[in-house]
Amino acid sequence: MTTSTTVSHATGTAAPVRPYQSYVYAYPHKTAYRPLDPRPALRELWEEEPKDSLSLYLHIPFCEVRCGFCNLFTRVGAPEGLVSAYLGALERQADTVREALGDRARFTTAAFGGGTPTFLEAAELERLCDIASRRMGADLAAVPLSVEASPATATADRLAVLAERGTTRLSLGVQSFVDDEARSAVRPQRREDVEAALGRIREAGIPVLNIDLIYGIDGQTERSWRRSLDAALAWRPEELYLYPLYVRPLTGLGRRDAAATDAEWDAQRLRLYRSGRDHLLAHGYEQVSMRMFRRRDAPGTGREPGGGDDYACQTDGMVGLGCGARSYTSALHYSFDYAVDMREIRGIIDDYTARPAADFARAEVGRAMTGDEARRRHLLQSVLQADGMPVAGYQARFGTDPAEDFPTELARFAERGWLDPDAAPGLLRLSAEGLAYSDALGPELFSPAVRAAMADYDLK
């Protein structure tokens, strides 16, 4: 096993690089967003944007329980009438946003996330699909639709609605098939209930099943990790995501365990990652990113989930609906307020549900995307994919070369062995070690301004 190092300017000695610093699923992170003053009109933001290949995301901020590791924007349960009120606000927002987008908007991918979208009952899921299709104009029968679910909410009637309305991918948050580990992660579930949910999903006929698993749970061993992997593989899922456990502030585990950030835990997670990666590669899966693995012989759906040639997250716009959703234009990333603390989240949801339609016509919280930030985002989100980044695409978009724009960072990555020296000419690709250290590499591409904004954010 190799260990990446960095040189300390104070001592001149090599110090190990911590592999688990931050999961970079979007850039810039929401903690770098700030209230916009004045609030720009959506019509003006989208007026000159290309709108023939948009992504649509609908956010449902409800869960039946909140896992100990979760820092997502979600609340536990919903008082009577709140879900209906929330869907009403989604409808008002959808009507306003659709009008702002104009007639040229075309959606080529859609997703329902959360929270847990399947917290909604079957009739409420029908209403959610109607918001996406009838109000926003997304043809759910023709574009990939991905939906997140939990075992307890993956009921037959809900799955039937999702299948009938065109869902191509269902992602089930399992995390562990070992009951003791699930309890340790503050995720109360039994393996028999998870297996029953997986059976219902397969019976519903949704083409792509993804199973989420977590490594680094307290008490987890390589043997128990293999048990979870094999239990998942028994269902031959088209996709598997392997997530390292993070303990974050204001979460259940964050309040309970303040010492879970030492080098020993890093080593354990890295060891489990490599074990899981190698096990999946040996069982017919290909690695798409540090976290994502896809079954090599998985049949195509005709509407490939997660993208395809029609959509690229680096270049195309995203339209988010719901109080926890983001939207991306080339000039501005925007959303509503962000929180982790349950009391703060409840207040933001209540505020969202009370808003009139006109209040959705302007962006509220966000961050401007300068040329430098756009370059960083493109490089970061491209190079963290196992296939790497074609340099020609970067050059065509920005008129510069990534080696010119990021000479220090790329030289550092090469020195650490994170770049693949055998990549084809014109391809910037990570090595196996680089992929393993994705959560260290990504944050090193953050701009000084974004780092400062994130550090200055008042966590709530």
Side-chain angles (χ1 to χ4, degrees):
M1 182 181 80
T2 59
T3 301
S4 294
T5 59
T6 186
V7 175
S8 168
H9 295 293
T11 65
T13 59
V17 177
R18 298 208 56 199
Y20 301 104
Q21 297 179 27
S22 178
Y23 172 23
V24 185
Y25 59 90
Y27 179 79
H29 190 269
K30 263 189 170 182
T31 53
Y33 291 12
R34 292 295 182 270
L36 301 170
D37 186 17
R39 292 177 57 191
L42 299 190
R43 183 182 296 276
E44 296 173 4
L45 286 176
W46 287 98
E47 188 173 18
E48 301 299 326
E49 293 287 314
K51 289 175 282 193
D52 59 346
S53 186
L54 297 174
S55 176
L56 178 64
Y57 177 79
L58 273 64
H59 179 252
I60 301 298
F62 305 109
C63 289
E64 74 274 17
V65 295
R66 192 173 197 187
C67 304
F69 51 83
C70 178
N71 72 335
L72 298 178
F73 187 96
T74 187
R75 63 165 291 165
V76 176
E80 185 176 355
L82 181 58
V83 170
S84 180
Y86 184 83
L87 291 174
L90 267 180
E91 289 167 344
R92 295 192 298 276
Q93 186 186 12
D95 290 344
T96 302
V97 170
R98 180 65 186 185
E99 182 180 358
L101 290 173
D103 297 332
R104 293 183 293 111
R106 172 177 172 256
F107 293 99
T108 53
T109 186
F112 301 158
T116 307
T118 49
F119 179 90
L120 304 185
E121 296 179 355
E124 294 166 337
L125 284 171
E126 290 275 16
R127 189 175 171 187
L128 184 68
C129 290
D130 284 344
I131 293 171
S133 59
R134 297 179 184 176
R135 293 178 184 269
M136 291 302 297
D139 186 353
L140 300 185
V143 306
L145 170 61
S146 179
V147 181
E148 298 171 4
S150 67
T153 60
T155 59
D157 58 339
R158 292 175 169 102
L159 294 170
V161 169
L162 294 176
E164 182 181 350
R165 297 301 295 265
T167 302
T168 54
R169 176 182 183 271
L170 191 111
S171 181
L172 192 71
V174 174
Q175 320 316 347
S176 177
F177 283 86
V178 179
D179 289 353
D180 287 345
E181 291 179 4
R183 284 193 292 271
S184 181
V186 195
R187 184 179 179 86
Q189 66 185 24
R190 298 180 303 168
R191 175 171 174 172
E192 62 185 274
D193 296 329
V194 173
E195 301 278 2
L198 287 164
R200 292 191 296 271
I201 293 167
R202 283 310 197 194
E203 289 173 5
I206 294 171
V208 174
L209 165 65
N210 172 69
I211 296 176
D212 288 345
L213 297 176
I214 285 181
Y215 55 91
I217 299 170
D218 187 31
Q220 191 176 50
T221 65
E222 289 191 55
R223 185 175 180 180
S224 67
W225 177 227
R226 182 67 61 87
R227 283 174 58 195
S228 274
L229 291 167
D230 286 339
L233 289 172
W235 291 96
R236 302 196 75 240
E238 286 71 24
E239 295 176 6
L240 274 159
Y241 271 72
L242 308 185
Y243 288 94
L245 179 65
Y246 277 92
V247 174
R248 300 179 175 94
L250 302 185
T251 63
L253 291 180
R255 296 185 181 95
R256 203 176 65 180
D257 186 358
T261 57
D262 55 19
E264 185 178 4
W265 191 38
D266 281 347
Q268 180 210 20
R269 285 181 289 178
L270 200 54
R271 185 170 59 252
L272 293 174
Y273 160 76
R274 291 184 166 120
S275 172
R277 174 199 62 194
D278 294 347
H279 195 58
L280 295 187
L281 294 178
H283 282 75
Y285 285 76
E286 61 181 347
Q287 187 167 18
V288 179
S289 67
M290 172 190 165
R291 288 166 170 76
M292 181 182 177
F293 296 80
R294 180 184 294 128
R295 211 178 78 212
R296 292 193 189 96
D297 66 346
T301 66
R303 294 181 283 140
E304 290 305 319
D309 293 339
D310 233 358
Y311 176 74
C313 64
Q314 296 90 344
T315 56
D316 295 333
M318 183 164 81
V319 178
L321 301 180
C323 57
R326 310 164 189 246
S327 295
Y328 304 146
T329 71
S330 59
L332 181 74
H333 288 190
Y334 63 92
S335 66
F336 294 97
D337 200 5
Y338 170 72
V340 176
D341 180 75
M342 191 65 68
R343 183 182 304 174
E344 297 282 350
I345 289 173
R346 287 196 294 264
I348 294 172
I349 294 173
D350 290 345
D351 172 75
Y352 174 84
T353 59
R355 292 183 179 225
D359 202 37
F360 294 120
R362 293 181 177 272
E364 182 167 314
V365 177
R367 188 165 191 89
M369 294 298 291
T370 64
D372 174 66
E373 298 293 17
R375 285 174 169 82
R376 291 178 183 276
R377 180 172 185 256
H378 185 105
L379 176 61
L380 193 155
Q381 294 191 305
S382 300
V383 81
L384 292 181
Q385 301 301 304
D387 286 345
M389 184 189 78
V391 174
Y394 181 99
Q395 292 171 331
R397 182 178 180 193
F398 299 111
T400 56
D401 190 284
E404 299 169 356
D405 294 337
F406 304 100
T408 303
E409 293 89 341
L410 293 179
R412 186 188 308 132
F413 299 160
E415 182 182 354
R416 293 174 182 168
W418 289 357
L419 300 183
D420 183 1
D422 299 321
L427 183 66
L428 188 61
R429 186 173 65 194
L430 296 184
S431 63
E433 185 75 354
L435 279 175
Y437 277 77
S438 291
D439 285 7
L441 184 153
E444 292 198 23
L445 289 172
F446 291 6
S447 71
V450 165
R451 289 175 182 273
M454 293 175 66
D456 191 51
Y457 179 77
D458 185 14
L459 191 64
K460 58 184 179 180

